[in-house]
Amino acid sequence: MGSGIRTAIQRTRLLPGWVRRADARAASAVNRRRTHPVADRFWSTVTGFADRGILWWTLAGVLAVTGRRRAAARGLASLLAASAIANLIAKRLFGGDRPILEEVPIRRRLPKRPTTPAFPSGHSASAGAFAVGVAIEDPRLGAAIAPLSLGVGYSRLHVGAHWLSDVAGGLALGAAVAGLGAFVGRRGRSGRHGADRDARAGAPAPSGEDRPLPASADGAGVFVIANPTSGTAVVRADPLRSVRRRLPLAEVHVLGDDEEPSRVARRVLERPEPPRILGVCGGDGTVAAVAHVAREAGVPLLVVPGGTFNHFARTAGAASADLAVDALQRGEGVRVDVGELRFGDQPAITVLNTASVGVYPDFVTVREQLEPRLGKWPAAIVAAARVLRRSDPVRVEIDGRPVAVWTLFVGIGPNDPGTAAPLQRRRLDVGVLDVRVLRAGSRTRAVGSLAFGRRTSAVLRRLRVLPDRLESMQARELEVVVHPRHGQPPGFAHDGEVAVEAPAVADARSPEPGYRTRIRIVPAALDVYRPASPSVE
């Protein structure tokens, strides 16, 4: 009888004999297989990156910051539940010895051998739970993640950490836990009403006082600037079709490759007969650029959501092109607060959602570099992996107080408590900045907190896994000095765009290393079209 079979028989007697024999045969086949050292390093890296769920936290972060917050939240909730069941209950019930180390090729062995019971594999349970949890919300996305989940399972065999039954049992456990979770929170999407809910998903209750704005039933006097590169990573109907159909007299200008939305807006407003209403169709960065010009000119802004995120449009209450056009035709709107960001002595920038420095701008910068070659979603995954493994804290001074941070987020208006990265504002007219400071500490906890919205943060708060180094405060104005990192001024993000040149210029002009930024709240600064709030009788 071979040593592999003898070892398999030593395992828990709760497993049938045929399972133990299958384990021995599978382990023997994997260990006998000759593989290139590069392949061995690859599988070791995969299994290492999956330790403590870092791989899945990273993927959940990518999903959250790219608009898949429901999928990220369900995937993480499923992972946490499956991991707890596998490690705290199932391993104690079933136990079992791990494969004999001597039978595993030396170059495949882990630097630190696991000492917990073998059955089921916690890595596999987490992988199966996350993939199935995501698939419940988005089947295509779940199918794309499934090979990675299976790869994590195989990596445990390749490095000799588990038997085949451990991996299969872990994957089955994780899938079952995620499936059970589907009964707790159903998606509830069906027909037209489901589509209406999707359009408003993630949007808070409308805030701000309704106010009448100039109406245009057919688009007369309306000039819309559209960014064709926004929102290309999501599948949906072209919002401009609705604009052109319902507003036939509106002038729609689609940006060319070298055109900047703010310059186009200023040019059209300098006409002898400028438009009465300035419109923009694009993502948050494009909307913020046109909003700045609309503020300067004192004209109302029509926001047609056309990006991947559309955070500002959702908060304002115009989460779809039809909702925005409805408000324009009826002359309904709201006056909103904005933020004003300034680097040194350079011109101010209008901010509608958030401004930040740290890990999040690093992620956006790397993603944009990779996107032309890989596409948005693969680029986001690779960027998250690179940044969250290699990024370092940033040294800043907040109103003169020095602190090392993973990220400093400044939200326009108050946000949900405990959320480290408030990407979408919750209120329109409160007149304060909401400042979140995530001080340097555990990298794993930083990964778990930076990328998620309020739904996932609520889950993490209940499970007590949010970082304990998060500070929050409110202010009307904030001065931040950002010190160089690796000899370079860190980029500063605002509304999904990363400013690199402006901080570099401010750094070069500063008498001391680092650049100085000021951000302040500007109350009631901009009129925006949105449907009137439902009346309460």
Side-chain angles (χ1 to χ4, degrees):
M1 183 181 290
S3 60
I5 295 178
R6 285 197 302 271
T7 306
I9 292 177
Q10 291 172 6
R11 304 189 66 217
T12 172
R13 296 294 176 180
L14 292 177
L15 294 178
W18 68 267
V19 173
R20 298 196 297 270
R21 290 190 292 273
D23 281 343
R25 287 193 293 270
S28 178
V30 171
N31 292 332
R32 283 201 315 265
R33 215 168 130 243
R34 293 185 179 182
T35 53
H36 196 278
V38 173
D40 293 334
R41 285 196 298 271
F42 171 79
W43 291 116
S44 294
T45 301
V46 169
T47 206
F49 197 27
D51 282 344
R52 298 181 179 87
I54 291 177
L55 171 62
W56 311 116
W57 287 79
T58 302
L59 278 176
V62 173
L63 295 178
V65 301
T66 49
R68 267 51 175 195
R69 292 187 179 183
R70 290 178 62 94
R74 188 179 288 277
L76 266 188
S78 301
L79 177 150
L80 292 169
S83 179
I85 293 172
N87 292 297
L88 301 180
I89 299 175
K91 282 183 182 287
R92 295 184 180 184
L93 281 177
F94 295 97
D97 299 324
R98 292 179 183 263
I100 291 180
L101 187 63
E102 287 75 12
E103 296 179 356
V104 181
I106 294 177
R107 64 174 179 266
R108 298 186 190 178
R109 298 177 189 174
L110 296 174
K112 185 177 179 181
R113 183 169 174 79
T115 58
T116 57
F119 187 89
S121 164
H123 282 68
S124 302
S126 297
F130 186 84
V132 174
V134 170
I136 290 170
E137 290 296 329
D138 189 328
R140 288 183 299 178
L141 203 54
I145 294 175
L148 183 58
S149 178
L150 295 174
V152 168
Y154 172 76
S155 74
R156 305 303 286 169
L157 296 176
H158 195 86
V159 301
H162 279 289
W163 304 95
L164 177 61
S165 62
D166 301 337
V167 171
L171 290 171
L173 172 64
V177 169
L180 212 64
F183 293 99
V184 177
R186 296 180 183 275
R187 289 182 293 165
R189 298 175 186 171
S190 61
R192 183 177 61 85
H193 297 293
D196 290 342
R197 285 193 297 271
D198 286 345
R200 294 171 174 81
S207 69
E209 184 177 348
D210 295 333
R211 61 183 283 109
L213 296 178
S216 178
D218 54 9
V222 179
F223 187 92
V224 179
I225 299 169
N227 186 349
T229 64
S230 296
T232 55
V234 293
V235 179
R236 55 142 182 264
D238 181 6
L240 289 182
R241 291 183 182 176
S242 182
V243 171
R244 291 187 170 109
R245 175 176 54 84
R246 300 184 59 188
L247 303 174
L249 297 186
E251 186 177 354
V252 178
H253 179 93
V254 179
L255 293 172
D257 292 338
D258 299 324
E259 286 188 310
E260 295 182 9
S262 57
R263 290 184 179 179
V264 173
R266 288 193 177 93
R267 188 168 64 244
V268 72
L269 289 173
E270 292 172 355
R271 291 177 178 176
E273 295 185 9
R276 296 181 298 119
I277 300 162
L278 199 57
V280 56
C281 178
D284 288 314
T286 305
V287 172
V290 178
H292 185 81
V293 180
R295 276 185 58 207
E296 292 178 332
V299 299
L301 183 69
L302 172 69
V303 179
V304 179
T308 303
F309 307 119
N310 307 310
H311 290 136
F312 178 73
R314 290 178 179 274
T315 303
S320 70
D322 283 322
L323 287 173
V325 174
D326 287 345
L328 171 69
Q329 292 178 332
R330 294 193 296 257
E332 299 171 347
V334 63
R335 181 162 286 178
V336 307
D337 301 341
V338 303
E340 200 171 71
L341 174 66
R342 194 182 296 271
F343 297 99
D345 57 358
Q346 298 176 73
I349 298 169
T350 293
V351 180
L352 297 179
N353 290 298
T354 62
S356 64
V357 66
V359 170
Y360 179 71
D362 294 345
F363 162 74
V364 175
T365 300
V366 176
R367 185 197 68 195
E368 290 179 346
Q369 292 172 349
L370 298 172
E371 193 172 323
R373 299 199 315 270
L374 304 180
K376 190 156 194 171
W377 303 120
I381 294 172
V382 175
R386 287 188 184 179
V387 168
L388 297 175
R389 275 179 170 268
R390 304 176 186 175
S391 187
D392 294 319
V394 177
R395 290 191 307 113
V396 300
E397 295 175 28
I398 304 172
D399 286 338
R401 177 173 63 98
V403 60
V405 302
W406 281 117
T407 292
L408 165 67
F409 262 86
V410 182
I412 310 305
N415 214 288
D416 297 297
T419 303
L423 297 179
Q424 178 179 331
R425 64 194 287 183
R426 317 307 300 178
R427 303 283 297 175
L428 296 172
D429 62 348
V430 181
V432 296
L433 301 173
D434 194 344
V435 184
R436 307 292 168 94
V437 183
L438 183 59
R439 292 178 291 152
S442 165
R443 183 182 298 269
T444 302
R445 288 199 170 190
V447 171
S449 64
L450 285 176
F452 307 118
R454 61 191 178 102
R455 291 188 182 90
T456 309
S457 293
V459 174
L460 299 182
R461 278 199 297 274
R462 288 195 293 270
L463 294 170
R464 298 182 180 180
V465 294
L466 277 176
D468 56 2
R469 303 173 69 85
L470 176 66
E471 302 175 10
S472 62
M473 57 186 172
Q474 292 185 350
R476 293 186 178 277
E477 187 170 350
L478 195 71
E479 182 177 86
V480 181
V481 177
V482 183
H483 291 281
R485 184 178 54 179
H486 307 306
Q488 299 293 327
F492 209 102
H494 51 91
D495 293 324
E497 305 289 330
V498 178
V500 176
E501 294 182 7
V505 172
D507 180 66
R509 293 178 179 175
S510 175
E512 298 178 357
Y515 62 87
R516 189 178 302 273
T517 68
R518 289 182 178 86
I519 184 167
R520 68 184 183 97
I521 195 77
V522 185
L526 179 67
D527 285 332
V528 177
Y529 287 92
R530 72 105 186 264
S533 303
S535 59
V536 179
E537 299 181 0

